[in-house]
Amino acid sequence: MDSVNNNIPSVNRKKPNTHTKITDVYLDDETLTLWRPATNCKQYHLIPETIKGDEWPMLLQLYYTKFDCVSCVLPFDEAIPVITHQATTLLPTQDYSILRNYPRIKGLWFRPDRTDSVGLDDESAVGNIKFSFTFPEEERENLLSNMNIYFLEVLDYESDDKSVSRFLITKETYSELPKYNIYKPGGPIFIQKEKNDANVESETYYFLKICQSYTGKAMEHVVELILEEDPWPMCKISAVTHKPLCSRSSIHDHTEDLTREHHFNMRYFGAPWEQALAGLFAWSLRTNIPWLVYERLHDNIKGSVNLAALTTPFQQVFTAKVPSICSKKINLLFQLAPFVDKCENQQDLIQLQELHSSLHSCDALCTFKSLKNIEMNKILSPYLSLLERIIACVSSTVRRELMESLLPWSVVAYHFHNHQIESCMKMVGFIYQLEGIRCTPKPPESSLNSSFFFPSTSGGYNTDVTSGIHSLSTSPVTWEEDMSP
């Protein structure tokens, strides 16, 4: 690919070549246009300007935005298979794209993003779970310069004044697709090469934020790219706050009564990032891959998880005595497991609670059994399956009522403390702080220094502290038998 520096040669101002229309997509309420912009040896004509060298720095600032990573956000239940299979290349695209003619190409659509935007303030109208990866210095040449980048199409949504450009990045050759020059200005993506005083070359990535549509209309512009070679090994996981374009009530007359028909795209609808992340943690604990999820967390999110674990009062999470729970409640939890698996929304859980109450309500005559004498492997799967579903409830009040009536917190606390796996204990501590899960008010933030969680930055752990999940995994704890009748 030919490199273009800041001193771009002047271009005569003349009407650009005619854009190439690929096809029209006819929908009920609008017609979408797939096309490719006109181009010449100097520039792509996706911006409404014919570029002259001295104008380019100003136009770059006007039309483009820097990025240093790419990301893809999915609804919770669509993200789960990606993590399960550890692959982003599970399905061919179902979007309006010429890639429909290439069904063997499978993957997710990634968009330009910034690493520093991933974290507590991250929001999306699309879903709850984000997969992102950066272009490390040592990978840039391999990922972009040494791979084929094909300009698939521009897709105009006239009714929304929005346009999207799409690319295929691959090691394969597709002679029928136009190659894209990432160093030529005026297109959806532009890479600027620069050298510092030491003659060391660096690259800055830009994507187009405003473009001119096929009909000449100024539009908001986004970029999407798909990698034929699976980028999963580079992907990091984070949770985002879902800010849907429409309200839940606009989809259903009753927000609490969600139909099974909309289960997959309604779970965690409008949920804050911490609720979606707690649900992901419960799912990973149930499926025995918490190590994978924890190690894949984006650094910004992992720091928040560590802080949550640090500020969780372990005296409330883990009691000094070996917990004892009603033997009938445990038996019911196992017996109702098939019903738990069928629960797809909050209303289903409320009905499960009613069924549970009709079969048994604890009283003074109940026989309590120590968790030491319970087959934990037998009850843990239905327990965590139910916990995951309770976390997804819309109402924190309903979550609290379900926890109090169906799920003794002591089961998950005792089990994962017993295993002494730090990542699991941090997940349990994070789940505990979710509103409606904990049975006590949120504790005040600890004044402990964050280095307590990171032994590489301190001489050792302070085993005298009395709050923070980590202190339990590094300090001896003697469980006393509960002598409850």
Side-chain angles (χ1 to χ4, degrees):
M1 298 179 182
D2 298 328
S3 176
V4 176
N5 57 30
N6 283 337
N7 299 316
I8 300 173
S10 298
V11 177
N12 293 329
R13 291 188 175 275
K14 61 181 181 179
K15 186 175 181 180
N17 298 328
T18 306
H19 301 313
T20 302
K21 179 185 282 192
I22 300 173
T23 188
D24 286 321
V25 179
Y26 299 99
L27 305 179
D28 292 338
D29 52 351
E30 71 171 327
T31 299
L32 309 180
T33 301
L34 270 72
W35 60 287
R36 295 191 189 108
T39 185
N40 57 35
C41 62
K42 303 298 183 183
Q43 76 166 96
Y44 289 97
H45 290 279
L46 193 53
I47 63 173
E49 307 280 351
T50 300
I51 298 171
K52 295 177 64 175
D54 56 352
E55 293 178 345
W56 177 235
M58 181 272 292
L59 295 179
L60 182 63
Q61 184 177 8
L62 175 64
Y63 289 108
Y64 289 81
T65 298
K66 290 182 181 180
F67 71 98
D68 59 5
C69 70
V70 293
S71 65
C72 175
V73 179
L74 296 177
F76 188 92
D77 288 299
E78 292 180 21
I80 291 301
V82 174
I83 302 174
T84 301
H85 295 89
Q86 300 182 49
T88 65
T89 52
L90 300 179
L91 298 170
T93 183
Q94 297 299 312
D95 211 338
Y96 300 112
S97 171
I98 64 171
L99 279 192
R100 285 190 173 188
N101 298 326
Y102 300 82
R104 76 177 182 86
I105 298 177
K106 303 175 182 180
L108 302 177
W109 290 110
F110 287 87
R111 289 187 176 187
D113 202 348
R114 290 191 64 86
T115 301
D116 55 13
S117 71
V118 179
L120 309 189
D121 299 325
D122 206 353
E123 298 179 353
S124 173
V126 178
N128 320 89
I129 304 298
K130 173 181 279 191
F131 303 104
S132 59
F133 64 91
T134 59
F135 297 146
E137 197 70 37
E138 64 273 11
E139 292 289 343
R140 286 180 176 175
E141 291 296 314
N142 179 50
L143 184 61
L144 295 178
S145 299
N146 291 339
M147 296 185 76
N148 294 320
I149 303 179
Y150 293 105
F151 196 165
L152 298 175
E153 72 249 340
V154 181
L155 177 59
D156 291 341
Y157 295 85
E158 290 278 351
S159 62
D160 293 331
D161 289 338
K162 185 175 290 186
S163 184
V164 55
S165 293
R166 296 198 178 102
F167 295 91
L168 169 65
I169 300 179
T170 177
K171 291 181 178 179
E172 302 297 324
T173 300
Y174 295 94
S175 57
E176 67 276 24
L177 295 176
K179 277 194 172 183
Y180 182 75
N181 187 342
I182 55 179
Y183 301 105
K184 184 186 291 187
I189 295 178
F190 176 72
I191 295 181
Q192 186 177 52
K193 282 183 176 287
E194 295 178 311
K195 290 184 179 180
N196 60 18
D197 296 337
N199 207 33
V200 176
E201 193 173 67
S202 63
E203 295 180 340
T204 305
Y205 292 73
Y206 295 90
F207 74 92
L208 190 63
K209 60 183 177 182
I210 301 172
C211 78
Q212 192 173 47
S213 71
Y214 182 76
T215 59
K217 185 178 181 181
M219 285 187 169
E220 177 187 350
H221 182 266
V222 296
V223 174
E224 294 181 340
L225 54 92
I226 195 168
L227 283 83
E228 191 167 15
E229 177 133 346
D230 192 358
W232 172 257
M234 300 184 291
C235 283
K236 294 291 187 178
I237 302 172
S238 59
V240 303
T241 296
H242 184 214
K243 294 283 187 179
L245 298 176
C246 58
S247 66
R248 186 186 289 261
S249 57
S250 69
I251 300 178
H252 297 287
D253 292 332
H254 304 287
T255 60
E256 305 294 344
D257 186 15
L258 308 182
T259 65
R260 299 182 192 279
E261 178 184 358
H262 290 94
H263 163 61
F264 287 105
N265 63 3
M266 290 296 291
R267 194 153 71 134
Y268 296 98
F269 187 97
W273 73 272
E274 59 264 34
Q275 184 183 0
L277 189 59
L280 182 63
F281 284 171
W283 170 82
S284 68
L285 291 170
R286 177 174 63 84
T287 52
N288 297 316
I289 56 171
W291 57 273
L292 171 64
V293 171
Y294 182 79
E295 292 305 321
R296 285 279 180 167
L297 289 178
H298 191 282
D299 289 344
N300 297 350
I301 290 290
K302 187 180 290 187
S304 302
V305 172
N306 290 340
L307 180 61
L310 180 66
T311 59
T312 299
F314 70 79
Q315 301 97 328
Q316 296 176 19
V317 181
F318 307 102
T319 60
K321 296 181 178 180
V322 176
S324 296
I325 57 178
C326 174
S327 58
K328 288 186 177 180
K329 178 171 284 192
I330 286 297
N331 291 334
L332 267 180
L333 180 63
F334 179 74
Q335 293 168 13
L336 293 177
F339 295 92
V340 172
D341 292 339
K342 294 179 180 179
C343 289
E344 296 183 341
N345 51 60
Q346 183 169 288
Q347 188 61 31
D348 288 349
L349 291 174
I350 292 173
Q351 293 175 0
L352 178 70
Q353 181 187 24
E354 293 171 352
L355 174 61
H356 184 278
S357 298
S358 69
L359 296 173
H360 178 70
S361 294
C362 288
D363 55 32
L365 300 178
C366 285
T367 301
F368 282 76
K369 193 174 184 180
S370 170
L371 285 181
K372 274 191 174 181
N373 303 320
I374 289 176
E375 295 181 57
M376 195 63 69
N377 292 335
K378 178 180 177 181
I379 67 166
L380 200 61
S381 180
Y383 181 100
L384 291 173
S385 180
L386 184 53
L387 177 62
E388 180 190 343
R389 286 163 169 78
I390 290 176
I391 290 172
C393 284
V394 180
S395 167
S396 59
T397 301
V398 172
R399 288 200 293 268
R400 184 174 295 105
E401 292 174 352
L402 291 170
M403 288 297 296
E404 291 175 353
S405 60
L406 297 179
L407 282 186
W409 175 260
S410 55
V411 173
V412 67
Y414 174 76
H415 175 78
F416 287 107
H417 172 264
N418 234 20
H419 278 62
Q420 297 286 296
I421 300 174
E422 184 176 330
S423 59
C424 293
M425 295 174 68
K426 287 180 177 179
M427 288 183 175
V428 171
F430 188 88
I431 293 171
Y432 178 80
Q433 292 207 5
L434 184 68
E435 187 177 359
I437 298 299
R438 61 182 183 272
C439 56
T440 56
K442 187 173 182 178
E445 290 193 3
S446 169
S447 60
L448 293 175
N449 189 283
S450 60
S451 64
F452 176 66
F453 263 97
F454 306 103
S456 60
T457 61
S458 62
Y461 295 110
N462 179 3
T463 56
D464 295 329
V465 296
T466 56
S467 73
I469 296 297
H470 197 283
S471 61
L472 275 181
S473 64
T474 57
S475 305
V477 174
T478 302
W479 295 90
E480 301 175 4
E481 285 287 359
D482 192 334
M483 303 306 292
S484 302

